[in-house]
Amino acid sequence: MYELINKVKELNPLVLHYTNNVTITDCANMTLAIGASPLMSFSYEEVEDMVSVASAVVINIGTMNSSYLDLFVKAGKAANKYNKPVVLDPVGVFASKARGELTNKLLNEVNFTVVRGNISEIKFIGGLDVAGKGVDSFDDGSDASEIVKAVAKKLNCTVVASGITDLVSDGEKVYKIFNGTAKLKKITGTGCMSSSLIASFLPCTDKPIEAAFMGTLSMSLSGELADITKPAVGTFKTYLFDNIDTLDVETFEKYAKVEL
Amino acid sequence: MYELINKVKELNPLVLHYTNNVTITDCANMTLAIGASPLMSFSYEEVEDMVSVASAVVINIGTMNSSYLDLFVKAGKAANKYNKPVVLDPVGVFASKARGELTNKLLNEVNFTVVRGNISEIKFIGGLDVAGKGVDSFDDGSDASEIVKAVAKKLNCTVVASGITDLVSDGEKVYKIFNGTAKLKKITGTGCMSSSLIASFLPCTDKPIEAAFMGTLSMSLSGELADITKPAVGTFKTYLFDNIDTLDVETFEKYAKVEL
Amino acid sequence: MYELINKVKELNPLVLHYTNNVTITDCANMTLAIGASPLMSFSYEEVEDMVSVASAVVINIGTMNSSYLDLFVKAGKAANKYNKPVVLDPVGVFASKARGELTNKLLNEVNFTVVRGNISEIKFIGGLDVAGKGVDSFDDGSDASEIVKAVAKKLNCTVVASGITDLVSDGEKVYKIFNGTAKLKKITGTGCMSSSLIASFLPCTDKPIEAAFMGTLSMSLSGELADITKPAVGTFKTYLFDNIDTLDVETFEKYAKVEL
């Protein structure tokens, strides 16, 4: 599966983002670093034009914005219409009624290929009691494989729960990723960037679970490698992008700690 | 007072931002670096939900946006309603009639805990003649302690004027901070980030002037330390975040140049 | 012409941006790094106030936003009214009907001083068949001097086409810049930042082609210098800002590869 890292650089897929204002620059740079092309829009007028030429679409509700609520739904529906793989990142879905309602609407009106969140967000979507703070997750480290699998089955798509152990499931299989570092939570947007990476891999395979796995692993592994010398957060962020940029099959083979 | 740096990491307060689009990412990362959790929103729908769970609120008018004028007022009022400390950053208040009017409205309808600006902004709010360029300050280095104290008395809150010497006053006392480097003005958003830091400290003490002092000192001191090797601006910005991340009581005790 | 780098630091022009949300922070920091002052706004209310005090105006349609379509036209007209030099960056003009229409409207209702885009964007504006992907250019490296000159004549302004060779023309002369590195396309916003740099130079000369040349050369040369040690993209971006910050007449004289 690791050769997908070559495929993404070869295909250079166009990843269209309807996303938040906090991590939009980092998501663009992350998409470029892995070998894909980012495109961001907040325009109702060009949804059809943009989705029809995109290779994949990301919808990320991170900074809820009253002006974009309908835009995100429109973009998701267009992705379905044009048969484009589409990723939902329900940032902070548990944090407000409005986020819950928007996420609900999106899940009801759009067939997502992948839903990616932290473990609190995924549990919330699955209808469980969750503990979260703002848009951040509470992760006690306990095994949530069965929960993620159940949510994937319920949503009928691939689900990724980022956490101390990352879990990726299509409702049948569960892939586990043990790479990572707590420092990934010390910079903003590593979750959003993972969604961009997953979307970058989606056009490279007909198995969404593989793209979800590769995107998630790319972030956790690069974070781990960026943290080897224990840099402070400014330097860590720079190294994170460096490590995404230089990822190759050999790096995955040497350092990946996964359970398939 | 320096032990507040431990308190912020222990409490991990949730700092809700209604802010501008230029420095929003850096403010989020700065909030994380000091040990708090950032949350940003541009949604009218979730103001009550978000403010009610936040530990502190920042309102920053940096990139005036026609769609958010009422949102910022609504958020400020909600902060008062839920008894949350709230910081105003009146970026470029002197630069346009619209910024003046919005700031006026905010100051009239919301009780702010801290108002932070550069010396030109604070003087303008105090009703004095000011010289500024765009959203940047003209600072001739002369002692503005009495002015800042008078503005604090007038606004009935803590006021911070960032500059060559930073001044922090509650209308009675004036704290002075002599740390810093001119390079902090060579990257965008160090003022906005100071407001995020102040908001991060506010839930850690019942004395707003202490939080204002600690947030302002954290920025000026970290900037000074980041500039020791005289790096160019790209590297300087990375080091600034590194130094915020590694701040501890010892660093404050060793390097702070302040007058209480 | 290289002494304009000293002029920009001396004048410290105020560069007002109506721009996109992806590269807005980097454009602000780039403007500061070259020695100018950035100012960003999304407010209809303050257009007249802001444009009247600005030294130059940039209009960049990068993340099309339904709420700003009229704002951009209003800002452009105000720039003409107040005789301020104004730069258009028609990001991805070929990517959607809406972008084409907005660009058309801007070009019809505003007299731009400089139009800067990648070669695909400039060809599209010139009415030629183009190949582009999303907002990125397809550049086969063939000489497009005559095309750029013709577009400049048609638009009656200075035109910059960024590419493997950068081309700058006022419809008569064509300046060529051979500096650069492919890595500039591996981080987002280097085109947008070039527009900010051009706008920073415009108030420093009465020859727009010189400002366009200096802004474009500053980016391509700094990119080349930042890539000397072949860093990965995170580090490269940091170095890019460092090199812009330290540009001086000597650096231009030593490393510039240009044809005037």
Side-chain angles (χ1 to χ4, degrees):
Chain A
M1 206 183 321
Y2 296 147
E3 69 284 351
L4 286 174
I5 188 68
N6 295 328
K7 193 79 179 289
V8 67
K9 289 168 202 298
E10 194 187 307
L11 273 187
N12 185 233
L14 183 64
V15 181
L16 175 61
H17 290 71
Y18 292 89
T19 190
N20 70 72
N21 289 113
V22 176
T23 68
I24 189 168
T25 315
D26 291 327
C27 286
N29 277 321
M30 202 42 87
T31 305
L32 284 165
I34 203 74
S37 276
L39 198 155
M40 276 71 176
S41 172
F42 296 105
S43 155
Y44 284 86
E45 296 82 5
E46 64 180 18
V47 168
E48 296 269 326
D49 278 1
M50 287 305 193
V51 171
S52 63
V53 298
S55 314
V57 179
V58 176
I59 295 175
N60 174 313
I61 68 166
T63 42
M64 282 283 286
N65 189 314
S66 304
S67 311
Y68 307 153
L69 303 185
D70 295 334
L71 176 66
F72 283 23
V73 177
K74 187 176 177 181
K77 285 178 165 178
N80 283 171
K81 176 179 166 190
Y82 291 100
N83 276 314
K84 308 290 180 170
V86 52
V87 178
L88 174 65
D89 194 328
V91 181
V93 58
F94 50 75
S96 75
K97 203 159 157 271
R99 289 182 191 232
E101 285 169 359
L102 175 59
T103 302
N104 218 32
K105 193 170 185 192
L106 283 164
L107 288 170
N108 281 321
E109 303 194 14
V110 179
N111 293 317
F112 285 96
T113 318
V114 178
V115 174
R116 193 217 68 85
N118 58 42
I119 187 65
S120 296
E121 289 156 359
I122 297 304
K123 282 182 181 172
F124 184 89
I125 285 178
L128 302 168
D129 273 343
V130 294
K133 174 182 220 166
V135 297
D136 294 322
S137 176
F138 173 76
D139 182 0
D140 62 7
S142 65
D143 190 351
S145 299
E146 289 309 308
I147 294 168
V148 175
K149 194 202 275 191
V151 178
K153 199 166 277 176
K154 181 178 167 187
L155 299 183
N156 194 28
C157 71
T158 293
V159 167
V160 178
S162 301
I164 297 172
T165 300
D166 303 314
L167 301 165
V168 183
S169 178
D170 57 3
E172 302 290 325
K173 295 183 290 286
V174 179
Y175 292 174
K176 296 183 185 183
I177 299 168
F178 302 103
N179 294 96
T181 164
K183 211 167 275 171
L184 283 167
K185 289 184 71 174
K186 284 283 287 182
I187 59 173
T188 194
T190 52
C192 305
M193 294 183 238
S194 293
S195 294
S196 297
L197 293 175
I198 291 168
S200 300
F201 280 108
L202 276 170
C204 306
T205 167
D206 54 7
K207 299 192 185 104
I209 192 174
E210 294 194 350
F213 168 80
M214 283 298 290
T216 308
L217 174 60
S218 295
M219 175 57 64
S220 292
L221 176 54
S222 296
E224 184 176 311
L225 296 174
D227 200 31
I228 285 178
T229 57
K230 302 292 164 206
V233 292
T235 300
F236 173 73
K237 186 176 171 183
T238 301
Y239 287 178
L240 178 64
F241 281 91
D242 283 351
N243 277 282
I244 292 283
D245 184 24
T246 56
L247 275 178
D248 56 17
V249 174
E250 292 65 39
T251 308
F252 284 116
E253 283 175 347
K254 189 162 174 192
Y255 298 107
K257 289 173 282 191
V258 300
E259 195 179 298
L260 299 180
Chain B
M1 204 185 318
Y2 296 147
E3 68 286 350
L4 286 174
I5 188 68
N6 295 326
K7 193 78 178 290
V8 67
K9 289 168 200 299
E10 194 188 309
L11 273 186
N12 184 233
L14 183 63
V15 181
L16 176 60
H17 290 71
Y18 292 89
T19 192
N20 70 73
N21 289 113
V22 176
T23 68
I24 191 168
T25 315
D26 290 328
C27 285
N29 277 320
M30 201 44 83
T31 304
L32 283 165
I34 202 74
S37 277
L39 197 154
M40 277 70 177
S41 172
F42 295 105
S43 156
Y44 284 86
E45 295 82 6
E46 65 180 18
V47 168
E48 296 269 326
D49 278 2
M50 287 304 192
V51 171
S52 65
V53 299
S55 312
V57 178
V58 177
I59 295 176
N60 175 314
I61 68 166
T63 43
M64 283 282 286
N65 189 313
S66 305
S67 311
Y68 308 152
L69 302 184
D70 294 334
L71 175 67
F72 283 22
V73 177
K74 187 175 179 184
K77 286 179 163 176
N80 283 171
K81 176 179 167 190
Y82 290 101
N83 277 312
K84 307 292 180 171
V86 54
V87 178
L88 175 64
D89 195 327
V91 181
V93 58
F94 50 75
S96 75
K97 202 158 159 272
R99 288 181 191 233
E101 285 171 358
L102 175 59
T103 302
N104 218 32
K105 193 170 185 192
L106 284 164
L107 287 170
N108 281 321
E109 302 194 14
V110 179
N111 294 316
F112 285 96
T113 317
V114 178
V115 174
R116 194 217 67 84
N118 58 42
I119 187 64
S120 297
E121 288 156 359
I122 297 303
K123 283 182 180 172
F124 184 89
I125 286 178
L128 301 167
D129 273 344
V130 294
K133 175 181 221 165
V135 298
D136 294 322
S137 176
F138 172 77
D139 183 359
D140 62 7
S142 66
D143 190 351
S145 298
E146 289 309 309
I147 294 168
V148 175
K149 196 202 273 188
V151 178
K153 201 167 274 175
K154 181 178 167 188
L155 298 183
N156 196 28
C157 71
T158 293
V159 168
V160 178
S162 301
I164 296 171
T165 301
D166 303 315
L167 301 165
V168 184
S169 179
D170 58 2
E172 302 290 327
K173 295 183 291 285
V174 179
Y175 293 174
K176 297 183 185 183
I177 299 168
F178 303 103
N179 296 95
T181 165
K183 210 165 277 170
L184 282 168
K185 289 184 71 176
K186 285 282 288 180
I187 59 173
T188 195
T190 52
C192 305
M193 293 183 237
S194 293
S195 294
S196 297
L197 293 175
I198 291 168
S200 300
F201 281 108
L202 276 170
C204 305
T205 168
D206 53 8
K207 300 192 185 105
I209 192 174
E210 294 194 349
F213 169 80
M214 284 297 290
T216 308
L217 175 60
S218 296
M219 176 57 65
S220 292
L221 177 54
S222 297
E224 184 177 311
L225 296 174
D227 199 31
I228 285 179
T229 57
K230 303 293 166 205
V233 293
T235 300
F236 173 72
K237 186 175 171 184
T238 302
Y239 287 178
L240 178 64
F241 280 91
D242 283 351
N243 276 283
I244 291 283
D245 184 23
T246 56
L247 275 179
D248 56 17
V249 175
E250 292 65 40
T251 308
F252 283 116
E253 283 175 347
K254 191 163 173 191
Y255 297 106
K257 289 174 284 194
V258 300
E259 196 179 296
L260 300 179
Chain C
M1 206 184 319
Y2 297 148
E3 69 285 352
L4 286 175
I5 188 71
N6 296 327
K7 193 79 179 290
V8 67
K9 289 167 201 300
E10 195 187 308
L11 275 186
N12 184 234
L14 183 64
V15 181
L16 177 60
H17 290 70
Y18 292 89
T19 191
N20 71 72
N21 290 113
V22 176
T23 68
I24 191 168
T25 314
D26 291 327
C27 286
N29 277 321
M30 201 43 84
T31 305
L32 284 165
I34 202 74
S37 276
L39 198 155
M40 275 73 175
S41 172
F42 295 105
S43 156
Y44 285 85
E45 296 82 5
E46 65 180 18
V47 168
E48 296 269 325
D49 279 1
M50 286 306 192
V51 172
S52 64
V53 299
S55 313
V57 179
V58 177
I59 295 176
N60 174 312
I61 68 166
T63 43
M64 283 284 286
N65 189 312
S66 304
S67 311
Y68 307 153
L69 302 184
D70 295 333
L71 176 66
F72 284 22
V73 177
K74 187 175 179 183
K77 285 179 164 177
N80 283 172
K81 175 178 166 191
Y82 291 101
N83 277 311
K84 308 292 183 172
V86 53
V87 178
L88 174 65
D89 195 328
V91 181
V93 57
F94 51 74
S96 75
K97 202 157 158 274
R99 289 183 190 232
E101 285 170 357
L102 175 60
T103 301
N104 218 32
K105 194 171 185 192
L106 284 164
L107 287 170
N108 282 321
E109 303 195 13
V110 179
N111 293 316
F112 285 96
T113 317
V114 179
V115 174
R116 194 218 67 84
N118 58 43
I119 187 64
S120 297
E121 288 156 359
I122 297 304
K123 283 183 180 172
F124 184 88
I125 285 178
L128 302 167
D129 273 344
V130 295
K133 176 183 219 162
V135 298
D136 294 322
S137 175
F138 171 76
D139 182 0
D140 62 8
S142 65
D143 190 351
S145 298
E146 289 309 308
I147 294 169
V148 175
K149 196 202 274 190
V151 178
K153 200 166 275 178
K154 180 178 169 188
L155 298 183
N156 195 27
C157 72
T158 294
V159 167
V160 178
S162 302
I164 296 172
T165 300
D166 302 315
L167 301 165
V168 183
S169 179
D170 57 3
E172 302 290 326
K173 295 183 291 286
V174 180
Y175 293 175
K176 297 183 185 183
I177 299 168
F178 302 103
N179 295 97
T181 164
K183 210 166 275 170
L184 283 168
K185 290 184 72 175
K186 284 282 289 181
I187 59 173
T188 194
T190 53
C192 306
M193 293 183 238
S194 292
S195 294
S196 297
L197 293 175
I198 291 168
S200 300
F201 281 108
L202 276 171
C204 305
T205 169
D206 52 8
K207 299 192 185 103
I209 191 174
E210 294 194 350
F213 169 79
M214 284 296 291
T216 307
L217 174 60
S218 296
M219 176 57 65
S220 292
L221 176 54
S222 297
E224 184 177 309
L225 296 174
D227 200 31
I228 285 178
T229 57
K230 302 292 163 206
V233 293
T235 300
F236 173 72
K237 186 176 172 184
T238 302
Y239 287 178
L240 177 65
F241 280 91
D242 283 352
N243 276 283
I244 291 283
D245 184 23
T246 56
L247 275 179
D248 56 18
V249 174
E250 291 65 42
T251 308
F252 284 116
E253 284 174 346
K254 191 163 173 190
Y255 299 106
K257 289 174 284 192
V258 301
E259 195 180 296
L260 298 179

